Amino acid sequence: MKNLSIRAVYSLCLGLILSQSAAANYLDDNLRKLNWNGVEVVWIEDNQYPTYDVTVYFYDGALSDNSKRYGETELMLDQITAGTLRYTQKQIANHLEFFGASYGGSVTHEFSTYSISGLVKDIVPTVKKVCHIFTNATFPKKELAKTKRRIVTSLNNIVTSHSSLANRAFRKISLNGTPYANPVSGTLKSIKRIKQKHLLARLKHFNTKVKKRIYIKGPSGIKQLENVFNKDCNWKGSDVVLNTPDVPKAAKKIVTKEKKKTIYLVPIPNSNQAQIRVGRYLSTDETQGSYELKRFSSKYLGGGFTSRLMQELRVKRGLTYSVGAYSSSQRTYGRSGISTFTKNETIGETLQVIKDVLDKEASDIGKDTFMTAKRALKGNYLFGLESSSAFLQNLLFFDHINRPYKEIYDFPMVIDKVKAVDLQKTIKEYFNWDDQVIVILGSKKLKLPLINEGYIVKTINYKKFL
Amino acid sequence: MKLRWIPLGALLVLLVSACAGLNSTSKNDESSDGMVGKELNSISLDAHKKVFSNGLTAIVVENHKLPIFTYYTYYKVGGKFEDEGITGASHYLEHMMFKGAKKYGAGEFDRLVEGNGGSNNAYTTNDLTVYYENLPSEHLATMIDLEADRMQNLLLEEKSFESERDVVLEERKMRYENKDNGKIYLKMMQEVFKGTPYGTSVIGKIKDLKSVTRDQMHDYFKKFYAPNNAVILIVGDFDKDDVFDLLEEKFGKIPSTNNLEKFKKEVVAKKGFDFKAKFNKRINLNGTSINPVFMLGFKGVKIGSVDSYALDILASMLGDGESSYLNQEYVQSRKPKLTNVYAANYTLQDAGVFFFGGQLLKGRNLKTFERNFKKKLIKSCDVALDARSLQKIKNQYLVGMLSGLDTNAGIAKLLGDREIYYGDYNFYKKEFGIYNSIGLEQVRSVCKKYLNKEDSIFLSIWNKHKKKGVR
């Protein structure tokens, strides 16, 4: 027994050292920082295969969309390939796809990215073409009209994707009164208001004002890109930072003052399963807290089959197929929450189990699950280094939230020092049942059982979230 | 990020149908325009295979980049082996495989994998049940022991068997009953393969899921979970000889199932894989979609058959990416009719289906669209297929394949799929050569041969269709 313990401790320590040194060595050996025309470049040298990934980071996102035209940044990056004075949409797509390149934009509230990947031998013509569209996109009116029509049709049809619609409704309700409540993709109303001139203005803003950083994974051949970015994209360094709106300390509650817990029910037709979202908004102050503890609480409550919620909801009771918990932040705001679903008949029981788990873990952490989650986080950390492309995205995010890369490789050590009481406090802070907003999407017949369970039920038509 | 050139069709090609590959011989590489030879030669996978005396096949690849490994186990059992009354058994059993065995009891599997920093999951198809785990290398011996334990000594405890039944039913609701895309796909597969072993869905019928007993499941397990029905792939940081020794130690004494191949052939022979469905018909499903969602399924071919490669390319040429023919005709055209469109060549081990799908724009007439779409498909064989598009697809396959190789899991799947479907993990070396050798006329030929209106079923799901219920 004694020998076993010593072996376990040795193994644990060795694992930690290996993990930390693996990350540190990886960064030391492969990470290069360059400066192209004032634009910072982060390059991971990876010579394994003749492929590359390039991601351009823009320090601006949907937060600065016009308040009546949410979705314009995302639409701008989507429509950037819709045509230039020289090339049509078809020609642009044909050119880029011929090289087998993947390309496209992604927008969050705080930042945006445009990513390109393909074979190194084609990197110059591919990136040149992308630079061409960034500097010459015209957003032809006819193309824009077609795209808007597609978006409107798809949004109307989101009722067939219960999980997506539940996420959309939950964002709107739980972040009510904050600038993050609107989806980055916009709404039926806001999309209709976006015109060609808005996209042109948005692109000009991104090209000339917004701070950029370029992230590259690939072999040494990528050095050819400096000339392309400097001459064809003509991007320069910028100190302009995101114009962050006033961020409230808490989301506005739609209904308050009742003693009973309120549930927002979003009825949809032909549903025999209830989507459940429980969570809350984290203010800027709360984003400053330990991200390691936030990740620990997510893992402990709803990350994998050994997590507390998965054990109680699925393994012991068969109430759901999956459950996940999260607590994470961007630079100025964050969210914590739980996402699951269950059959209509067990909606009350499922909510009660979630409440019981949160209440219990806020006062008494289970020792076994705590150790399991701790070992899981430490060991799993290595897998974040496996794919250079995925690791590059990790670096991008750390730069965005203004945290040093050192924290990436210190992660296992920090996790190792977490005590049960730290986790308990974190769960109490972010997952306190009384603070959680609850949204249920499913059959309208769920209303009565929820009332019978002692909840106040506010029904909201799903169309309000389109 | 949008992977614009990999919608459903190519994903099936690259992942499900296991079709992308490469060839390291320069003659084949440069048969089109010489664009891919150098890149293909950059791939070198030092894989080693061993077949144990009980029939277990193991393939290992050393990769010392990081102190981690990926472990895949393919069991050659899937939905096609399920008799009436136990549809969904393969998938239900997949769930039960995590519920405890003799040495490692209830909850131990997840505790040891996740608790050591790993992750695990599984999936079931019509042909296979596949389990995979990722762990730090120091736990490889534990992983081998866990897999050996559950291969021979699964508990199937009554209590967890019952609670997992509810879990599977919830999964069914989530994937199919409450999702129009899932509902129409399920129906298409049932209709195209009606009367064949592929005609029973992998998820299973509700009544079967509710009635299947623990004893039936135990029999099913005993028949199919045996070393001579499994292929193991391990990729990561270890010494291959140590791994083969460990596998011999833990799996070597597990008895094989006698006459398994004969039994499997008999099970599927009852129905046979020849198409029996009535084609050239229309099926309307009631759903929640505000605008109709459609699928058009054609008789396809099995994986590895001569025409399967050209059909993969045809699907990609027609429906992959914004520049593809169907995207330009129906989504990007001056008068678009669809919000999205895709084409896929889904090749299973014994048969296949070639299908299209998409969603109509608001205001478009479904019947008019159906007529127009079918008509254009026939014409597309002549007008849509050109040399540049063909080369584009070959380039895309190459990039897709290289991109999948930067993780142990990607390598394990590449080799495992080929071992299963072609009996040769190294087949990836020949596969790209086959794709590269395919010319335009060959693609046109399969286009005309298979996209035959008489061999198709048109399905749509819409909230305006009358309710009939979906099994």
Side-chain angles (χ1 to χ4, degrees):
Chain A
M1 192 66 188
K2 195 181 167 192
N3 281 344
L4 267 180
S5 300
I6 291 168
R7 234 171 70 187
V9 170
Y10 174 75
S11 164
L12 196 70
C13 291
L14 185 67
L16 273 178
I17 292 161
L18 273 176
S19 300
Q20 195 188 21
S21 62
N25 290 343
Y26 187 80
L27 284 179
D28 286 347
D29 293 348
N30 302 297
L31 190 73
R32 313 268 183 278
K33 289 220 171 181
L34 310 168
N35 188 306
W36 292 347
N37 215 12
V39 177
E40 195 181 332
V41 178
V42 179
W43 167 37
I44 293 180
E45 185 169 358
D46 185 332
N47 292 294
Q48 194 173 10
Y49 295 113
T51 56
Y52 70 90
D53 290 286
V54 173
T55 298
V56 183
Y57 161 91
F58 299 92
Y59 187 20
D60 201 348
L63 272 184
S64 63
D65 283 352
N66 181 286
S67 62
K68 291 184 175 167
R69 299 191 299 269
Y70 293 119
E72 60 182 357
T73 300
E74 186 167 283
L75 192 56
M76 179 270 287
L77 287 181
D78 181 82
Q79 285 296 284
I80 202 163
T81 51
T84 65
L85 285 175
R86 200 164 157 196
Y87 300 109
T88 63
Q89 180 277 334
K90 186 178 179 179
Q91 287 170 324
I92 292 167
N94 215 347
H95 183 100
L96 292 172
E97 289 174 3
F98 181 76
F99 293 129
S102 294
Y103 55 97
S106 172
V107 177
T108 73
H109 283 84
E110 294 182 355
F111 67 95
S112 310
T113 57
Y114 201 87
S115 299
I116 317 144
S117 60
L119 295 175
V120 170
K121 71 180 176 61
D122 302 321
I123 194 169
V124 169
T126 305
V127 176
K128 263 180 179 279
K129 184 65 79 176
V130 171
C131 283
H132 171 79
I133 59 175
F134 261 91
T135 47
N136 294 284
T138 54
F139 305 105
K141 284 181 181 174
K142 282 181 182 171
E143 295 296 330
L144 181 59
K146 284 189 292 188
T147 301
K148 283 163 64 174
R149 191 175 170 193
R150 282 202 299 273
I151 294 172
V152 168
T153 302
S154 298
L155 259 180
N156 277 315
N157 246 23
I158 201 175
V159 67
T160 68
S161 175
H162 297 181
S163 181
S164 304
L165 185 54
N167 290 341
R168 211 173 154 92
F170 182 61
R171 168 173 284 278
K172 190 79 182 171
I173 294 168
S174 65
L175 304 184
N176 183 45
T178 78
Y180 312 101
N182 287 300
V184 296
S185 54
T187 62
L188 284 176
K189 271 187 189 170
S190 70
I191 290 292
K192 283 175 184 169
R193 292 191 189 111
I194 299 171
K195 307 270 191 284
Q196 180 191 41
K197 63 181 179 184
H198 302 131
L199 299 184
L200 284 167
R202 199 80 190 127
L203 177 61
K204 187 178 176 190
H205 170 70
F206 266 61
N207 273 328
T208 58
K209 298 273 173 60
V210 176
K211 183 176 181 176
K212 299 162 197 74
R213 202 178 288 117
I214 299 169
Y215 294 82
I216 303 172
K217 181 226 88 170
S220 53
I222 64 92
K223 285 175 188 162
Q224 313 165 72
L225 284 186
E226 180 174 6
N227 249 341
V228 179
F229 274 113
N230 289 350
K231 285 184 184 166
D232 294 76
C233 278
N234 197 25
W235 286 331
K236 295 180 176 70
S238 165
D239 293 327
V240 177
V241 293
L242 176 68
N243 184 16
T244 311
D246 292 335
V247 180
K249 294 242 173 195
K252 273 186 201 165
K253 289 182 182 173
I254 293 179
V255 183
T256 52
K257 290 178 186 169
E258 285 96 344
K259 284 183 183 171
K260 291 178 180 175
K261 188 87 183 159
T262 300
I263 282 180
Y264 301 98
L265 174 66
V266 182
I268 42 163
N270 301 328
S271 165
N272 62 2
Q273 191 172 55
Q275 291 284 337
I276 301 170
R277 302 291 182 272
V278 176
R280 75 172 183 87
Y281 163 77
L282 307 182
S283 67
T284 306
D285 290 348
E286 288 172 306
T287 64
Q288 302 309 308
S290 159
Y291 97 96
E292 293 90 350
L293 273 171
K294 287 194 188 93
R295 275 189 63 186
F296 204 144
S297 64
S298 310
K299 184 82 186 169
Y300 179 81
L301 288 173
F305 281 87
T306 51
S307 67
R308 293 291 299 121
L309 285 165
M310 189 64 114
Q311 283 292 311
E312 295 298 327
L313 290 172
R314 175 170 164 168
V315 178
K316 288 186 186 167
R317 297 176 178 83
L319 289 169
T320 188
Y321 170 68
S322 78
V323 57
Y326 56 91
S327 179
S328 60
S329 309
Q330 289 190 19
R331 196 161 177 154
T332 56
Y333 91 115
R335 302 176 81 188
S336 60
I338 291 159
S339 175
T340 188
F341 51 84
T342 191
K343 58 170 110 34
N344 291 343
E345 297 81 4
T346 51
I347 181 71
E349 185 186 354
T350 303
L351 286 171
Q352 189 59 46
V353 172
I354 295 172
K355 178 183 184 304
D356 290 347
V357 168
L358 297 185
D359 286 349
K360 186 195 166 291
E361 302 307 327
S363 58
D364 179 23
I365 292 291
K367 196 180 167 191
D368 286 349
T369 314
F370 174 74
M371 288 310 294
T372 302
K374 184 181 265 197
R375 286 196 303 266
L377 281 168
K378 287 187 302 192
N380 198 250
Y381 156 83
L382 277 173
F383 292 92
L385 307 173
E386 192 181 8
S387 156
S388 303
S389 311
F391 187 64
L392 197 69
Q393 296 304 317
N394 212 3
L395 296 182
L396 184 153
F397 188 70
F398 263 71
D399 281 335
H400 172 71
I401 60 175
N402 210 16
R403 306 288 274 258
Y405 295 164
K406 184 176 178 298
E407 288 187 13
I408 298 176
Y409 56 85
D410 281 349
F411 181 77
M413 286 299 193
V414 174
I415 290 295
D416 196 50
K417 288 176 185 158
V418 172
K419 295 189 175 86
V421 68
D422 303 325
L423 180 63
Q424 191 178 308
K425 276 185 197 164
T426 307
I427 291 173
K428 196 170 185 176
E429 189 178 350
Y430 299 128
F431 291 94
N432 184 357
W433 180 255
D434 291 338
D435 297 336
Q436 305 301 307
V437 175
I438 305 175
V439 173
I440 310 279
L441 182 136
S443 167
K444 64 183 177 187
K445 290 175 187 167
L446 291 168
K447 185 172 183 176
L448 193 58
L450 286 168
I451 290 170
N452 290 340
E453 290 286 336
Y455 296 101
I456 293 168
V457 179
K458 301 286 175 192
T459 303
I460 308 176
N461 190 314
Y462 81 84
K463 290 181 181 169
K464 285 198 183 304
F465 305 109
L466 300 183
Chain B
M1 188 177 87
K2 285 178 290 183
L3 294 173
R4 294 185 181 211
W5 59 272
I6 310 187
L8 182 62
L11 275 178
L12 285 167
V13 168
L14 294 170
L15 301 176
V16 180
S17 305
C19 292
L22 70 162
N23 189 312
S24 56
T25 57
S26 58
K27 276 181 185 171
N28 274 338
D29 294 345
E30 297 180 356
S31 63
S32 290
D33 69 0
M35 289 192 66
V36 294
K38 193 175 146 195
E39 280 66 32
L40 289 175
N41 288 332
S42 71
I43 301 169
S44 168
L45 301 175
D46 188 20
H48 301 269
K49 176 178 168 178
K50 184 171 179 180
V51 180
F52 294 84
S53 57
N54 57 6
L56 176 71
T57 301
I59 296 159
V60 300
V61 184
E62 289 184 19
N63 179 6
H64 302 289
K65 184 179 167 189
L66 284 166
I68 53 177
F69 70 92
T70 289
Y71 189 122
Y72 262 70
T73 309
Y74 288 74
Y75 283 101
K76 293 183 252 183
V77 58
K80 68 183 176 187
F81 297 110
E82 296 160 0
D83 278 333
E84 286 299 323
I86 61 159
T87 62
S90 306
H91 171 250
Y92 192 167
L93 182 55
E94 173 217 304
H95 279 233
M96 291 309 299
M97 285 288 283
F98 295 93
K99 293 293 183 179
K102 191 174 163 186
K103 183 174 177 184
Y104 299 99
E108 284 293 285
F109 192 94
D110 290 326
R111 192 183 65 76
L112 283 166
V113 174
E114 290 184 2
N116 285 314
S119 58
N120 65 84
N121 217 326
Y123 62 87
T124 308
T125 71
N126 296 80
D127 297 315
L128 301 168
T129 310
V130 184
Y131 301 85
Y132 52 94
E133 298 89 20
N134 303 294
L135 271 161
S137 291
E138 66 207 82
H139 305 294
L140 180 55
T142 307
M143 193 64 249
I144 291 173
D145 204 23
L146 279 162
E147 287 291 11
D149 186 34
R150 66 177 179 173
M151 179 188 275
Q152 56 191 323
N153 298 311
L154 191 66
L155 289 180
L156 285 170
E157 286 176 331
E158 192 69 40
K159 193 179 169 196
S160 60
F161 186 72
E162 289 310 317
S163 70
E164 208 58 24
R165 191 193 301 276
D166 286 337
V167 172
V168 173
L169 285 165
E170 281 313 298
E171 184 182 356
R172 192 182 197 283
K173 283 181 193 167
M174 185 265 293
R175 291 196 194 283
Y176 302 105
E177 296 168 40
N178 288 277
K179 198 178 271 178
D180 279 6
N181 283 332
K183 216 183 266 188
I184 192 172
Y185 174 78
L186 194 66
K187 187 69 175 167
M188 183 201 69
M189 292 293 282
Q190 287 173 335
E191 288 294 329
V192 168
F193 293 114
K194 192 179 257 181
T196 81
Y198 288 141
T200 56
S201 65
V202 174
I203 192 72
K205 292 176 184 170
I206 295 172
K207 69 176 176 61
D208 292 349
L209 291 172
K210 284 183 175 172
S211 65
V212 66
T213 66
R214 187 184 164 276
D215 286 344
Q216 283 175 307
M217 192 64 87
H218 189 258
D219 288 346
Y220 198 77
F221 169 75
K222 276 290 164 200
K223 270 177 205 151
F224 293 106
Y225 278 66
N228 54 328
N229 204 35
V231 175
I232 293 171
L233 270 294
I234 310 177
V235 182
D237 184 29
F238 46 72
D239 181 286
K240 68 176 170 43
D241 296 327
D242 293 346
V243 172
F244 281 130
D245 288 348
L246 267 170
L247 289 169
E248 175 71 54
E249 182 191 329
K250 299 294 179 185
F251 285 92
K253 289 178 185 150
I254 302 175
S256 54
T257 299
N258 290 333
N259 301 317
L260 183 59
E261 283 309 311
K262 185 170 170 265
F263 175 76
K264 285 165 74 174
K265 276 180 190 160
E266 283 168 7
V267 172
V268 295
K270 285 179 201 166
K271 293 177 178 172
F273 289 101
D274 291 340
F275 290 103
K276 298 173 188 69
K278 187 186 163 202
F279 282 80
N280 197 12
K281 67 177 178 183
R282 181 186 300 117
I283 294 170
N284 295 336
L285 300 171
N286 176 258
T288 49
S289 294
I290 311 293
N291 303 292
V293 172
F294 83 96
M295 288 189 87
L296 177 62
F298 291 85
K299 290 178 186 174
V301 298
K302 70 178 187 179
I303 196 163
S305 57
V306 177
D307 287 344
S308 68
Y309 302 96
L311 282 168
D312 285 338
I313 288 178
L314 174 67
S316 299
M317 287 175 84
L318 291 178
D320 282 3
E322 290 193 353
S323 65
S324 68
Y325 174 74
L326 291 176
N327 262 286
Q328 287 297 321
E329 282 294 309
Y330 288 95
V331 181
Q332 306 287 349
S333 60
R334 213 177 277 179
K335 290 184 178 174
K337 295 174 179 64
L338 301 172
T339 63
N340 67 303
V341 65
Y342 58 84
N345 180 38
Y346 187 17
T347 47
L348 292 154
Q349 207 157 22
D350 299 289
V353 53
F354 192 99
F355 62 90
F356 300 90
Q359 179 184 248
L360 270 72
L361 277 166
K362 187 182 172 188
R364 295 297 181 209
N365 182 285
L366 182 61
K367 279 188 181 170
T368 310
F369 166 76
E370 180 191 342
R371 215 169 29 240
N372 173 283
F373 191 79
K374 285 178 177 170
K375 210 167 153 184
K376 278 219 165 148
L377 273 186
I378 296 162
K379 284 187 185 169
S380 74
C381 299
D382 290 317
V383 301
L385 310 176
D386 58 50
R388 184 179 162 84
S389 298
L390 178 64
Q391 186 57 48
K392 175 180 76 178
I393 299 308
K394 291 175 183 176
N395 295 344
Q396 290 178 353
Y397 282 8
L398 174 67
V399 180
M401 162 123 111
L402 288 170
S403 306
L405 295 177
D406 68 345
T407 61
N408 290 333
I411 295 168
K413 186 153 172 51
L414 176 85
L415 301 182
D417 283 353
R418 273 124 197 106
E419 178 65 23
I420 288 288
Y421 291 118
Y422 304 106
D424 175 10
Y425 68 88
N426 252 331
F427 194 74
Y428 70 93
K429 289 179 180 171
K430 296 171 192 154
E431 207 172 355
F432 205 88
I434 297 175
Y435 283 117
N436 231 6
S437 69
I438 288 172
L440 204 50
E441 278 316 307
Q442 202 175 337
V443 184
R444 282 186 180 141
S445 166
V446 294
C447 182
K448 286 171 184 166
K449 184 176 170 187
Y450 292 95
L451 300 192
N452 188 345
K453 201 172 82 173
E454 280 69 44
D455 290 333
S456 72
I457 298 176
F458 187 89
L459 302 97
S460 60
I461 188 162
W462 193 13
N463 66 358
K464 294 209 167 83
H465 286 328
K466 285 178 188 166
K467 283 187 185 176
K468 284 176 189 166
V470 179
R471 279 173 295 143

